[in-house]
PDB file of all heavy atoms in Angstrom:
ATOM      1  N   ARG A 231       7.315   3.848  19.142  1.00 62.00           N
ATOM      2  CA  ARG A 231       8.616   3.195  18.952  1.00 62.00           C
ATOM      3  C   ARG A 231       9.201   2.814  20.305  1.00 62.00           C
ATOM      4  O   ARG A 231       9.250   3.607  21.228  1.00 62.00           O
ATOM      5  CB  ARG A 231       9.565   4.169  18.244  1.00 62.00           C
ATOM      6  CG  ARG A 231      10.910   3.564  17.932  1.00 62.00           C
ATOM      7  CD  ARG A 231      11.774   4.562  17.211  1.00 62.00           C
ATOM      8  NE  ARG A 231      11.203   4.882  15.890  1.00 62.00           N
ATOM      9  CZ  ARG A 231      11.743   5.778  15.075  1.00 62.00           C
ATOM     10  NH1 ARG A 231      12.826   6.448  15.433  1.00 62.00           N
ATOM     11  NH2 ARG A 231      11.163   6.012  13.904  1.00 62.00           N
ATOM     12  N   LYS A 232       9.597   1.563  20.393  1.00 64.00           N
ATOM     13  CA  LYS A 232      10.171   1.091  21.639  1.00 64.00           C
ATOM     14  C   LYS A 232      11.546   1.719  21.872  1.00 64.00           C
ATOM     15  O   LYS A 232      12.395   1.738  20.976  1.00 64.00           O
ATOM     16  CB  LYS A 232      10.301  -0.438  21.628  1.00 64.00           C
ATOM     17  CG  LYS A 232       8.956  -1.148  21.626  1.00 64.00           C
ATOM     18  CD  LYS A 232       9.164  -2.660  21.687  1.00 64.00           C
ATOM     19  CE  LYS A 232       7.841  -3.395  21.731  1.00 64.00           C
ATOM     20  NZ  LYS A 232       8.020  -4.866  21.764  1.00 64.00           N
ATOM     21  N   SER A 233      11.723   2.227  23.051  1.00 63.00           N
ATOM     22  CA  SER A 233      13.026   2.812  23.388  1.00 63.00           C
ATOM     23  C   SER A 233      14.000   1.710  23.753  1.00 63.00           C
ATOM     24  O   SER A 233      13.630   0.675  24.328  1.00 63.00           O
ATOM     25  CB  SER A 233      12.879   3.784  24.578  1.00 63.00           C
ATOM     26  OG  SER A 233      11.979   4.819  24.270  1.00 63.00           O
ATOM     27  N   ALA A 234      15.249   1.938  23.383  1.00 69.00           N
ATOM     28  CA  ALA A 234      16.271   0.953  23.743  1.00 69.00           C
ATOM     29  C   ALA A 234      16.436   0.918  25.267  1.00 69.00           C
ATOM     30  O   ALA A 234      16.265   1.942  25.947  1.00 69.00           O
ATOM     31  CB  ALA A 234      17.592   1.326  23.074  1.00 69.00           C
ATOM     32  N   ARG A 235      16.710  -0.242  25.770  1.00 80.00           N
ATOM     33  CA  ARG A 235      16.922  -0.365  27.224  1.00 80.00           C
ATOM     34  C   ARG A 235      18.143   0.457  27.637  1.00 80.00           C
ATOM     35  O   ARG A 235      19.178   0.423  26.964  1.00 80.00           O
ATOM     36  CB  ARG A 235      17.107  -1.831  27.598  1.00 80.00           C
ATOM     37  CG  ARG A 235      15.876  -2.680  27.347  1.00 80.00           C
ATOM     38  CD  ARG A 235      16.083  -4.097  27.861  1.00 80.00           C
ATOM     39  NE  ARG A 235      16.245  -4.111  29.295  1.00 80.00           N
ATOM     40  CZ  ARG A 235      16.415  -5.216  30.020  1.00 80.00           C
ATOM     41  NH1 ARG A 235      16.465  -6.377  29.399  1.00 80.00           N
ATOM     42  NH2 ARG A 235      16.537  -5.157  31.318  1.00 80.00           N
ATOM     43  N   ILE A 250      22.196   5.284  31.124  1.00 86.00           N
ATOM     44  CA  ILE A 250      22.321   6.054  29.892  1.00 86.00           C
ATOM     45  C   ILE A 250      21.351   5.467  28.856  1.00 86.00           C
ATOM     46  O   ILE A 250      21.420   4.284  28.526  1.00 86.00           O
ATOM     47  CB  ILE A 250      23.759   5.984  29.363  1.00 86.00           C
ATOM     48  CG1 ILE A 250      24.739   6.482  30.445  1.00 86.00           C
ATOM     49  CG2 ILE A 250      23.914   6.790  28.078  1.00 86.00           C
ATOM     50  CD1 ILE A 250      26.187   6.207  30.105  1.00 86.00           C
ATOM     51  N   ALA A 251      20.405   6.344  28.375  1.00 85.00           N
ATOM     52  CA  ALA A 251      19.403   5.904  27.405  1.00 85.00           C
ATOM     53  C   ALA A 251      19.538   6.721  26.129  1.00 85.00           C
ATOM     54  O   ALA A 251      19.698   7.941  26.173  1.00 85.00           O
ATOM     55  CB  ALA A 251      17.995   6.046  27.982  1.00 85.00           C
ATOM     56  N   ARG A 252      19.501   6.041  24.991  1.00 82.00           N
ATOM     57  CA  ARG A 252      19.580   6.714  23.704  1.00 82.00           C
ATOM     58  C   ARG A 252      18.293   6.484  22.941  1.00 82.00           C
ATOM     59  O   ARG A 252      17.856   5.340  22.771  1.00 82.00           O
ATOM     60  CB  ARG A 252      20.770   6.191  22.888  1.00 82.00           C
ATOM     61  CG  ARG A 252      22.126   6.532  23.489  1.00 82.00           C
ATOM     62  CD  ARG A 252      23.253   5.904  22.693  1.00 82.00           C
ATOM     63  NE  ARG A 252      24.577   6.321  23.171  1.00 82.00           N
ATOM     64  CZ  ARG A 252      25.214   5.781  24.177  1.00 82.00           C
ATOM     65  NH1 ARG A 252      24.668   4.765  24.858  1.00 82.00           N
ATOM     66  NH2 ARG A 252      26.402   6.223  24.542  1.00 82.00           N
ATOM     67  N   ALA A 253      17.652   7.580  22.457  1.00 77.00           N
ATOM     68  CA  ALA A 253      16.417   7.506  21.678  1.00 77.00           C
ATOM     69  C   ALA A 253      16.473   8.565  20.605  1.00 77.00           C
ATOM     70  O   ALA A 253      16.381   9.760  20.890  1.00 77.00           O
ATOM     71  CB  ALA A 253      15.185   7.704  22.561  1.00 77.00           C
ATOM     72  N   GLY A 254      16.640   8.144  19.327  1.00 73.00           N
ATOM     73  CA  GLY A 254      16.704   9.102  18.249  1.00 73.00           C
ATOM     74  C   GLY A 254      17.900  10.021  18.392  1.00 73.00           C
ATOM     75  O   GLY A 254      19.043   9.592  18.490  1.00 73.00           O
ATOM     76  N   GLN A 255      17.621  11.340  18.448  1.00 79.00           N
ATOM     77  CA  GLN A 255      18.686  12.340  18.572  1.00 79.00           C
ATOM     78  C   GLN A 255      18.965  12.723  20.016  1.00 79.00           C
ATOM     79  O   GLN A 255      19.687  13.685  20.282  1.00 79.00           O
ATOM     80  CB  GLN A 255      18.276  13.609  17.783  1.00 79.00           C
ATOM     81  CG  GLN A 255      18.025  13.378  16.303  1.00 79.00           C
ATOM     82  CD  GLN A 255      19.300  12.918  15.601  1.00 79.00           C
ATOM     83  OE1 GLN A 255      20.370  13.504  15.782  1.00 79.00           O
ATOM     84  NE2 GLN A 255      19.171  11.874  14.785  1.00 79.00           N
ATOM     85  N   ARG A 256      18.387  11.962  20.952  1.00 83.00           N
ATOM     86  CA  ARG A 256      18.506  12.373  22.356  1.00 83.00           C
ATOM     87  C   ARG A 256      19.256  11.300  23.172  1.00 83.00           C
ATOM     88  O   ARG A 256      19.031  10.103  23.000  1.00 83.00           O
ATOM     89  CB  ARG A 256      17.113  12.573  22.941  1.00 83.00           C
ATOM     90  CG  ARG A 256      17.106  12.939  24.440  1.00 83.00           C
ATOM     91  CD  ARG A 256      15.696  13.290  24.894  1.00 83.00           C
ATOM     92  NE  ARG A 256      15.181  14.456  24.180  1.00 83.00           N
ATOM     93  CZ  ARG A 256      13.966  14.970  24.384  1.00 83.00           C
ATOM     94  NH1 ARG A 256      13.143  14.404  25.247  1.00 83.00           N
ATOM     95  NH2 ARG A 256      13.582  16.044  23.708  1.00 83.00           N
ATOM     96  N   VAL A 257      20.125  11.769  24.070  1.00 86.00           N
ATOM     97  CA  VAL A 257      20.810  10.903  25.030  1.00 86.00           C
ATOM     98  C   VAL A 257      20.427  11.392  26.428  1.00 86.00           C
ATOM     99  O   VAL A 257      20.582  12.571  26.743  1.00 86.00           O
ATOM    100  CB  VAL A 257      22.343  10.948  24.850  1.00 86.00           C
ATOM    101  CG1 VAL A 257      23.015  10.074  25.918  1.00 86.00           C
ATOM    102  CG2 VAL A 257      22.724  10.469  23.455  1.00 86.00           C
ATOM    103  N   THR A 258      19.907  10.488  27.234  1.00 86.00           N
ATOM    104  CA  THR A 258      19.479  10.854  28.592  1.00 86.00           C
ATOM    105  C   THR A 258      20.338  10.138  29.607  1.00 86.00           C
ATOM    106  O   THR A 258      20.498   8.904  29.547  1.00 86.00           O
ATOM    107  CB  THR A 258      18.005  10.473  28.816  1.00 86.00           C
ATOM    108  OG1 THR A 258      17.198  11.115  27.816  1.00 86.00           O
ATOM    109  CG2 THR A 258      17.537  10.923  30.211  1.00 86.00           C
TER     110      THR A 258
END
Side-chain angles (χ1 to χ4, degrees):
R231 183 178 296 177
K232 293 183 178 179
S233 301
R235 295 185 65 179
I250 304 169
R252 293 176 174 84
Q255 300 296 313
R256 177 174 298 179
V257 177
T258 303

